[in-house]
Amino acid sequence: MKTFVVPIIIKYISHVLEKLSALLINPKICCMKRLCVFLACLVFVGINTLQAQRTVQITGTVTSAEDGMPIPGASVQVKGTTVGASTDADGKYLLNAPDNATTLVFSFVGLKTQEVEIGGRTSIDVVLEVDALTLEEIVVTALGISREKKSLGYAVQEVKGDEVNQVKGDNFLSQLSGRVAGVQIKSNTNFGGSNNIIIRGSSSLTGNNQALFIVDGIPIDNSNTNNSGQVSGRNGYDYGNAASDINPNDIESISVLKGAAATALYGSRAANGVVLITTKKGFNTAGKGPQVKLSSNVTFSTMDKSTFPEYQLEYGAGYGKYYYSDVEDGHPGFEYYADVNGDGITDFTVPYYEDASRGEKFDPSVMVYQWDALYPESPNYLKATPWVAGANGPDTFFETGIIKSENIDISGGNEKTTYRLGYTYFDQNGIMPNSILKKNNVIFTGTQKMFNDKVTVTSSANYIKTNGTGRPSTGYSDNIVSGFRQWYQVNVDIQQQKEMYDLTEQNITWNPSEYSNLAPAYWDNPYWVRYQNYETDGRSRFIGYTQLDWDITSDLKATTRYAIDTYSELQEERKAVGSGSGEFGVGRPDVTSGYSRYARDFQETNFDFMLTYRKKIADMLDLSALAGTNIRRTRSESVFVSTNNGLAVAGLYALSNTIDPMDLPEESLRIIGVNGIFGSISLGVLDTYYIDATIRRDQSSSLPTDNNTFIYPSVTGSIIFSNLLKQDWLTLGKLRVNYAEVGSSAPPLSVKDTYLANSPFSGNSMATVSNTKLNSNLLPERQKAIEGGLEMNFFRSRVGFDLAFYKNNTINQLMPVSISFATGFASKWVNAGEIENKGVELALNGTPVKSGDFSWDISVNWAKNVNKVIELYVDESGNEVKNLQLAGLQGGVTINATVGEPYGTIKGTDFLYHENGGKLVNPANGRYYKSSANDIVIGDVNPDWNAGIRNSFRYKDISLSFLIDMQQGGDIFSLDLWYGMATGLYKETAGLNDLGNDLRDPITYVNDDPTQGYASNSGGLIEEGVFEDGTPNTVRRNQENYGAIGYALDPNKRFVYDASYIKLRELAITYNLPHSLVSKISMASASISFVGSNLWIIHKNLPYADPEASQGSGNIQGWQSGVMPATRNFGFTLNLQF
Amino acid sequence: MKRLLLTISVLILIFSACTDKFEDYNTDQKNPANVPASALFSNAQKELSDYYSNTNVNINIFLMMSQYWTETTYIDEANYDLVNRNIPANIWSRLYLRVLTDLKEAKNLIEATEVLPGLEARKKNQLQIIELLNIYTWSHLVDVFGAIPYTEALNPDNVYPAYDNGPAIYDDLFTRLNTALANLDETATSFGSADLYYGGDVSKWVKFGNSLKVKLAIITADDDDAFSKTAVEAAVANVFSSNDDNCLMAYMTSAPNYNQLYADLVASGRHDFVPANTLVDAMNTLDDPRRAAYFTMYEGSYIGGTYGYPNSWSQYSHISDLIQTPDFPGIMMTYPEVCFYLAEAAERGYSVDKTAEEWYNEGITASFAFWGVADVDTYLAKPEVAYTTAEGTWRQKIGIQSWIANYVNGAVGYNNWRRLDYPILNLPEWVEEYSGIPVRFTFPINEQTLNKDNYDAASTMIGGDLISTKLFWDKN
């Protein structure tokens, strides 16, 4: 058996070394980073080869002091190691402890943890006492300060690292979804894409509403560098958000600080809540050598067909039946002007240059020249083929994705020193052809105690390299999936497109312009796009810190920390010679080929110094106080540059290969400096009454220099009333209340006006006045938050809940408010506006069954947030701005902040309604009437509530857990259906009407006389609605041509869908190999798991797409165009521990 | 231990001492705080021409409004859907944000610059040229919307600018035009090569100013004939005298400095437009040789797409190659255009040196010359063309021929159709909700939210914010 394990270890180690050496020789890493990696290597190499240790078998029984009954599932662990076991149904355990083990730790939820000296015994029985105040739970709070959870006056919810590490994905944020009440995560379907994370609602009108990520006290940049065109739904790529660099393998625990009181010490940037992550650290292995953990995962992804269109398969290419007017020939939907085969006779051809399916009805007996008859390389060159639906639809374009993830984790130490080295390799192939994402992540953390253990130095270095290839494009134009969902011919066989691409590696598209001009009309061969027009990107990131903790006296402690988060990223986009024309590069002109580079360097440093004082006075008063300073510098610099008017030489992706001289690059440099000082004081009386107060003063470089400081306080209080009631059934009862204010600074460069330089014209410099008027009198914006909560646990914590209520108002918002264009500006920076968020969060925990070999735990999270824009901007003379448009999107819809409405309303055209509520139909043509105004609120992107239910079951060595995640409410405008219905792609656009005739048949009347009623062979449909007199509609609506339904002839409102969903987010079954077996091969533990994610969308109301899909993270949500289908992921994980 | 304390103290001092850099942090290091006025002026000229010479369905649909062209598959704009793509807002965005603001800033910078006495005349000329472009732009905005924010516009401190009515704006524009013309000094220089229209040639600007005066006077002639008569007669001696005086933007061959028509027609790779049957049929009737410069042939003849209906791109004439070259000039105002105004002036009884027929012939002749088409005499001799024998009133004759001559200048074509009611445009009946060809554009929808009180007042002032509300100069 040993011979089986060793090769695996050797394989891992050599793999790690190979990756590390690759990192070392990477020229992009600066010297300092290289040094860190090198040091990490040395430590790694220095680790002794693993050796089998002698073990001692210890057995015993664990019983409860309360009733004397055995406790199944109690944990027994060798202190200072991860060697352990759990008790069986009879409370018995069997443990193979290392022969030098000294102490065993027995624990069980709701009972007091007990440490027992082994003292040479081989049989140890233990009686566990009930823990009166079970929740001596320690949680990490702001600035990394560990506190007893019971003493806190605000809501904190913790998630264990294991929970977010079961499913292997490109962004661990997805795994947080449904686990924390009040945290709304939108995991979009873009491969490697960004996730929107909003805590307790959006509070800033135009600023960043994403939560702040802090890892071991270091703020981690979570920028989304998707460009403005991509964000507002034009073409582009979703490059993901930078917090996805955080490696779930390294996470020990996550603590979510939701309210302003919890985050007040972090200052201005934490107004949106904080996700506080603590990484795993080394520990004292008492000279027994390191602990090694290996984990290997393979996951498969397949398209979830419920999130992809179902096509009609009755009609093919064309926008209608008007291409050939001589109806005698019977094919008005075909063209009849070209002699394709050269026999001197004009041929019927398909309007292949069109990207819709409202043409001729399929008829296998009709032979017609299609796209494949035009290319000499095609087997059907100059051949007519039967007019039928494509044998392989766009769903066959998607492949099975594979994720491979491997992790090695080595940790250990002694009394003075600890260390941990982790390395993870992640490799994902998406369901789109040629989409690849790779990540290498290496982390080293070490601690050293010195000066008589009074000083501890901690250092950590984390290097992350992420490389993407072929991310799917997003948005309306130049996006394969928007083609599939909006603009397509169902007569096309997608596999035939693949064959043609594989054969020729040319852009042989189903959509050529003309038979005499084969340039693509609108759409390229999708395989050409995937294999030629792919992007590549890379991010090379270093996160590190050095921290010094000094116990000056037993009560007074000083901490200094210097932390850096820095990365370089490069995004290269390509458009190969021979592609169809599309927006590309600087200034987004239409070109048929090109190459662009977006390079960005980011750096943030934080220097913190803190003094903390803790004192217990007379056994009844706990006092702690803190004072500190934070000095932050953030610098972000980018350059975007591209070829102009195409590539001179095909296949050479270099800027010098530009045809015309390059247009001016887009450059940006943004620097922020914040100097903060803060203090807090906490008092606890009799372990029952607690009060905390904090204050912070920030000075920010992005505000006008003469007025750039602001101060904000918080105060919290709590009472543990269970200590007063002293009831057996009540394990814990706590009431808490708090009030906090948080100030926020302006974005940099919003104070002083500048001009913008445009490309020179014939040697003349060109400049323009910016469209945004800046403001030299900006003040900080301010959030005022009040929160109350009740936390209760019953019956030795078998059941418990945590209930929170809050109300946050963000006032004096800094924003570029839209103003009349007649002012000469599109927007103007002002301090104005107020958003209110109020809500309820409920977390329930319970253990319904705990007997024998079986246990069942359940946790439920539920949160409702109500968001309202109270005010936008009122000028001196009392004129009020009532609407702030966040984005104007394709389809004529806008996303807005409107006074009196929730933040993020969808506006557009609506139906007209009868007073009885029915939709008014125009008796002239059977269509719905459409409002003339296009600024009517037709949707709200905010959900009514979110919830998650997690169940976990354990039976002997097998455990099963699953998470159901749900959202109620929230709206989405589907551009996919708005256009796709018009172009006749979806199955609803064909089939039979109420008379049993084809919907798309012409409308006919008895004796051709409309007054005599419809003929029995009439096509068209009768929309559900009423006439102006309130009677039901009886007029048929013609369904023959483009726009017969959807698009401009229907109100936008028709394509607004409810975004509710219920998803089986995660399912994991784990089998822990029996200890008796594992110990024989010198392992401490081994397990194998089946893990699935997004396996089943149990319920949704949006047809053919995932309601969570969007163009990316940010404030512009509630609009879908060309979104990727969702994937079902399932795989296996092997975990080994030595 | 003491060393440690010392180190920490020093570190804190170092870090907390650096707020003096905060001013620099918040100063944009990548965008200029100062630019020469000429850079703003050149930019405004290019933006104005880019706006005027494009056929982007989001911005400029005057080629459809004048029925020079029609659309192939996506026919919303040919069916006058102004709302779906927010076209009115995009026009405001282009002209207020990109043209008028930059002109205003250039003017402010020039006025604020002290110059040596010898350069006073240049400075003065620069200010007048800016003024001429302003007048050109404002009058276009009035012609499209009927009323616009004018006196209170271009001031970010007043975010609720009131609208002025068209007649009042035109009155002021005439005053400004007279002042500008009176202050232009042909003996001095102006912007030099930074003037992308005339290379700084002040004498050309004098002609431009006078031609513009004729244009504005003729546009408003039905409203105030006596005023227009005075204005035209004062200007006629100094208007354009040949195609050499044309106000053109000499585009270059590469992005972003090529003609925006090229961007929309060629670079886009799209086939959205074909010549409309309205124009092609009219020219076919006249056997007009300019068709070869205007269109391509389809199977040996000129066939226009049916206006407002879906048209298969493959089966109609296309826009000529000449117009689709990247450096095809941006046409701001031409000699033929002015000739037809003067023909009309003659018919109105103004004293304009030549007769209506002479100006009419001159306009057609200059148009042939502009497009490089020969044999104008044969054309002029045709009974359907010859001024004395051509069908209809002077409004019809001049309406048809100026329409043909002003090809691709959609805004002028649309203006002339509204004033003269010729040519007879086709009614697109594909969209059943169709209710008449718009005689003005509605105000931008965002004005209803951003400037509501003034929007409401303006709607009342002009008789309703509708596409059917006639402009003050549109009397028939």
Side-chain angles (χ1 to χ4, degrees), chain A residues 643-646 655 657-663, chain B residues 253-255 258:
Chain A
T643 58
N644 188 7
N645 199 23
L655 294 169
N657 193 25
T658 182
I659 288 181
D660 286 334
M662 285 192 291
D663 203 353
Chain B
T253 52
S254 63
Y258 51 43

Side-chain angles (χ1 to χ4, degrees), chain A residues 572-798:
Chain A
E572 295 173 275
E573 297 181 11
R574 295 169 190 75
K575 199 171 175 73
V577 173
S579 300
S581 187
E583 293 176 7
F584 188 89
V586 174
R588 304 179 79 83
D590 286 321
V591 291
T592 55
S593 64
Y595 168 65
S596 75
R597 287 169 72 90
Y598 172 83
R600 175 165 175 262
D601 285 310
F602 175 88
Q603 181 184 303
E604 174 166 317
T605 56
N606 278 278
F607 174 79
D608 297 295
F609 176 72
M610 268 185 290
L611 280 173
T612 48
Y613 179 77
R614 274 187 201 190
K615 184 86 179 167
K616 201 164 177 80
I617 302 162
D619 233 24
M620 56 171 286
L621 187 67
D622 282 304
L623 168 73
S624 65
L626 174 156
T629 180
N630 165 254
I631 291 149
R632 165 192 164 207
R633 297 291 178 268
T634 307
R635 179 188 172 95
S636 170
E637 192 167 13
S638 67
V639 183
F640 179 48
V641 59
S642 66
T643 58
N644 188 7
N645 199 23
L647 298 171
V649 177
L652 177 62
Y653 295 99
L655 294 169
S656 57
N657 193 25
T658 182
I659 288 181
D660 286 334
M662 285 192 291
D663 203 353
L664 301 184
E666 290 172 8
E667 278 180 274
S668 153
L669 172 61
R670 294 163 86 82
I671 307 174
I672 303 169
V674 178
N675 293 346
I677 53 172
F678 50 82
S680 85
I681 185 158
S682 307
L683 277 176
V685 180
L686 296 169
D687 282 339
T688 301
Y689 307 94
Y690 295 91
I691 185 161
D692 271 30
T694 71
I695 189 158
R696 176 159 172 149
R697 172 186 178 274
D698 275 344
Q699 183 173 22
S700 166
S701 68
S702 57
L703 288 166
T705 33
D706 49 358
N707 199 2
N708 63 1
T709 58
F710 46 106
I711 294 173
Y712 40 91
S714 84
V715 57
T716 74
S718 56
I719 172 170
I720 301 188
F721 60 84
S722 51
N723 284 355
L724 308 174
L725 297 175
K726 294 197 192 319
Q727 297 291 318
D728 273 355
W729 53 272
L730 181 61
T731 325
L732 173 77
K734 178 177 133 185
L735 260 176
R736 55 175 196 258
V737 62
N738 67 63
Y739 176 80
E741 292 192 13
V742 180
S744 274
S745 179
L749 311 182
S750 29
V751 170
K752 286 182 275 188
D753 284 313
T754 58
Y755 301 97
L756 303 171
N758 283 335
S759 269
F761 189 98
S762 191
N764 296 296
S765 64
M766 308 276 270
T768 185
V769 176
S770 164
N771 290 345
T772 302
K773 183 73 186 160
L774 303 184
N775 186 336
S776 55
N777 298 309
L778 291 179
L779 299 169
E781 74 180 42
R782 186 163 281 257
Q783 188 180 100
K784 297 181 176 183
I786 183 162
E787 178 187 339
L790 174 66
E791 192 179 340
M792 295 179 82
N793 288 319
F794 309 95
F795 310 116
R796 293 184 0 224
S797 296
R798 279 287 283 268

